Amino acid sequence: MKTTMLRIRLSATVISLLAPLAASADPGDGIGVGSWLLSPYIDINATYDSNVYKTRDNEIADTFFEPEFGLRMSSSTETNLLTLRGNAFMSRREYSSESSQDFSSWGDNLSLQYGRPEHFTIEGIQSFRHVQDYDRHASDMESSGLSESMVQDIHTLSAERNINQIGLGATRRLTDKTELTLGYRYCDVLYANDQFLDLDGQVGQIDAAYLMTDKTAAFLSLHGGIQNQEGTDGSATYAIARLGATTRGSDKMAYNAGAGIEHYTRPVASGNESFDTFNFNVTADWYVTEKVTLRCGGLNGTQLSSFYEGNGLNYVSGWAGAGYRWKPSTILSVRGIYRRDSYLDPVPDGNTTIDRADTRIEAHARIDYTAPANFLKLYFEASLDIADSNINTADYVDKRIMVGAELLY
């Protein structure tokens, strides 16, 4: 009854919001207001979850219903130097039986760009997300070079938390072949549960690029950052230098690949501890044909832990995916994600301590269908999430099957 009443209230709310706007534009095309395009939407999905509590033993399966309301907006014209993109969202997840796991999420993402790429550009970003379980809107900021976030321990990725991100960057074309980028980012992760440790960090970056050909540039990237952990006196600091190459304007291949060294210093009981590690960050998109696209990437780094006070971890993350446009209206896609955390200090395990290492693997298969009218999108997704740790109580396997629909004005 609770879920049925929620559906009725949500449907009534959407109708009341969209009704006054119905004459402004055709459904699916958005609402034009001057140079602005506004696109209200509702996304409704039902999901089977094989392991609600993500435990190794005594798995409990359930289904949940999760509607999301949102507004996407953009302001852009060919002659306008200023471009603003963003979205705001609110969702509510309710389980059929395990009501203790019900939760709400909300947040926003904004990205502002000013200038012209051939001369000078300024970019600013802002994002706030209150989430639990998967951070569904983290990818909204991926197109920005300023969107780097704090990395969470694998063990805390389903915890209720607030995520804040802000960034500011400027790029200047110095000559026909050289350009310089300056950037700053701040991020924090604040947990609702006191058993987890709040984190915050900020980083400044300088990127110098040299155009070797019409489509390829070499670059030098320098990053310097500070990390703070709740309850730990002092800050961790790091400096990264990477050399690499990136493509510009290629129709078939787009990549950004850099490798170098990271110098990391963190507070410990005896003072400070410093060490150097190999560091890399790679992304690549290959547009094989008009119908087939391949994507992959990877990165690594060092991060203070959100689970163990005074401790940190080395992390390595990689992903790969493929998309196939079977028909103009239908896209088939698969993707896999790999993550490994190795803690810097031994951690408690019963009556002893061990050098903890966690691995997480995700696999997703998805079908997206857009109706001819363009205002209705249907999707189906199956996913597998496996966590493996040398602390056995942290192991779990979770399988999900999701069906959903998005109505876009």
Side-chain angles (χ1 to χ4, degrees):
M1 177 64 70
K2 179 177 64 173
T3 300
T4 301
M5 292 302 297
L6 176 64
R7 294 180 184 177
I8 293 173
R9 292 197 299 270
L10 293 177
S11 299
T13 302
V14 172
I15 293 171
S16 64
L17 289 174
L18 297 184
L21 303 173
S24 301
D26 293 329
D29 295 333
I31 303 163
V33 183
S35 63
W36 288 87
L37 182 65
L38 306 178
S39 300
Y41 71 90
I42 176 173
D43 186 309
I44 303 174
N45 68 69
T47 302
Y48 166 80
D49 187 342
S50 72
N51 191 356
V52 173
Y53 296 95
K54 291 182 169 57
T55 58
R56 179 183 180 182
D57 303 311
N58 301 317
E59 296 181 3
I60 296 176
D62 200 0
T63 59
F64 61 80
F65 174 72
E66 188 171 19
E68 176 178 297
F69 298 98
L71 175 67
R72 301 185 184 108
M73 54 187 171
S74 63
S75 172
S76 177
T77 66
E78 292 182 359
T79 59
N80 196 350
L81 294 176
L82 182 66
T83 301
L84 179 65
R85 301 186 308 274
N87 72 292
F89 68 92
M90 180 178 65
S91 66
R92 174 67 180 175
R93 177 181 296 187
E94 293 199 354
Y95 283 84
S96 299
S97 301
E98 302 302 313
S99 58
S100 65
Q101 295 299 100
D102 295 351
F103 65 86
S104 299
S105 293
W106 59 87
D108 74 280
N109 294 283
L110 291 173
S111 174
L112 181 148
Q113 290 182 323
Y114 177 82
R116 299 189 184 281
E118 63 270 21
H119 299 296
F120 177 76
T121 59
I122 297 176
E123 178 183 16
I125 64 165
Q126 176 275 326
S127 178
F128 167 80
R129 304 183 299 280
H130 175 86
V131 297
Q132 186 171 330
D133 198 14
Y134 295 115
D135 186 2
R136 294 173 59 183
H137 288 272
S139 60
D140 293 347
M141 307 301 289
E142 284 183 354
S143 61
S144 171
L146 303 169
S147 59
E148 184 174 299
S149 181
M150 300 295 291
V151 172
Q152 293 180 249
D153 307 47
I154 289 175
H155 192 61
T156 66
L157 286 172
S158 297
E160 182 180 357
R161 60 206 183 271
N162 290 335
I163 301 170
N164 295 282
Q165 292 172 267
I166 59 173
L168 182 65
T171 299
R172 173 75 178 183
R173 179 62 65 90
L174 302 178
T175 69
D176 290 343
K177 289 184 175 294
T178 59
E179 69 178 23
L180 182 68
T181 298
L182 303 177
Y184 167 82
R185 297 187 300 273
Y186 170 85
C187 182
D188 64 41
V189 182
L190 309 178
Y191 294 93
N193 192 323
D194 290 340
Q195 79 174 107
F196 303 121
L197 304 170
D198 297 341
L199 302 173
D200 69 79
Q202 50 190 320
V203 58
Q205 68 183 74
I206 301 174
D207 297 312
Y210 176 75
L211 192 63
M212 297 185 295
T213 70
D214 291 341
K215 295 183 178 181
T216 304
F219 67 82
L220 169 65
S221 183
L222 303 174
H223 294 214
I226 299 173
Q227 299 173 354
N228 297 299
Q229 180 194 65
E230 179 185 9
T232 298
D233 293 332
S235 301
T237 62
Y238 65 94
I240 298 173
R242 289 194 296 257
L243 289 172
T246 183
T247 53
R248 307 291 179 89
S250 173
D251 294 332
K252 281 288 187 181
M253 174 69 78
Y255 64 83
N256 186 302
I261 191 169
E262 176 185 24
H263 180 76
Y264 193 84
T265 301
R266 67 183 180 114
V268 294
S270 58
N272 287 315
E273 176 190 65
S274 298
F275 53 86
D276 297 321
T277 57
F278 172 74
N279 184 268
F280 72 95
N281 192 316
V282 177
T283 61
D285 295 338
W286 182 23
Y287 306 98
V288 183
T289 68
E290 292 183 354
K291 292 187 175 184
V292 179
T293 302
L294 302 179
R295 289 186 167 91
C296 64
L299 74 163
N300 74 328
T302 310
Q303 170 77 59
L304 290 175
S305 169
S306 53
F307 196 63
Y308 295 109
E309 186 173 332
N311 206 340
L313 53 92
N314 290 318
Y315 64 88
V316 178
S317 180
W319 63 94
Y324 172 60
R325 187 174 290 277
W326 179 41
K327 295 180 179 179
S329 61
T330 306
I331 298 176
L332 312 178
S333 59
V334 295
R335 60 190 171 96
I337 303 170
Y338 170 86
R339 165 83 179 272
R340 182 169 177 83
D341 293 349
S342 301
Y343 286 86
L344 302 179
D345 298 327
V347 304
D349 183 25
N351 296 322
T352 185
T353 61
I354 64 170
D355 294 321
R356 179 169 179 172
D358 296 351
T359 300
R360 184 179 185 183
I361 298 174
E362 295 180 46
H364 300 258
R366 183 176 172 113
I367 302 173
D368 290 274
Y369 169 78
T370 302
N374 205 42
F375 69 89
L376 173 63
K377 297 181 179 180
L378 305 175
Y379 57 89
F380 169 86
E381 181 171 334
S383 65
L384 174 66
D385 180 7
I386 302 173
D388 181 44
S389 174
N390 56 357
I391 293 185
N392 293 333
T393 55
D395 294 348
Y396 69 83
V397 176
D398 188 19
K399 299 179 286 292
R400 292 184 178 181
I401 298 176
M402 176 192 302
V403 292
E406 181 184 276
L407 295 171
L408 178 69
Y409 197 87

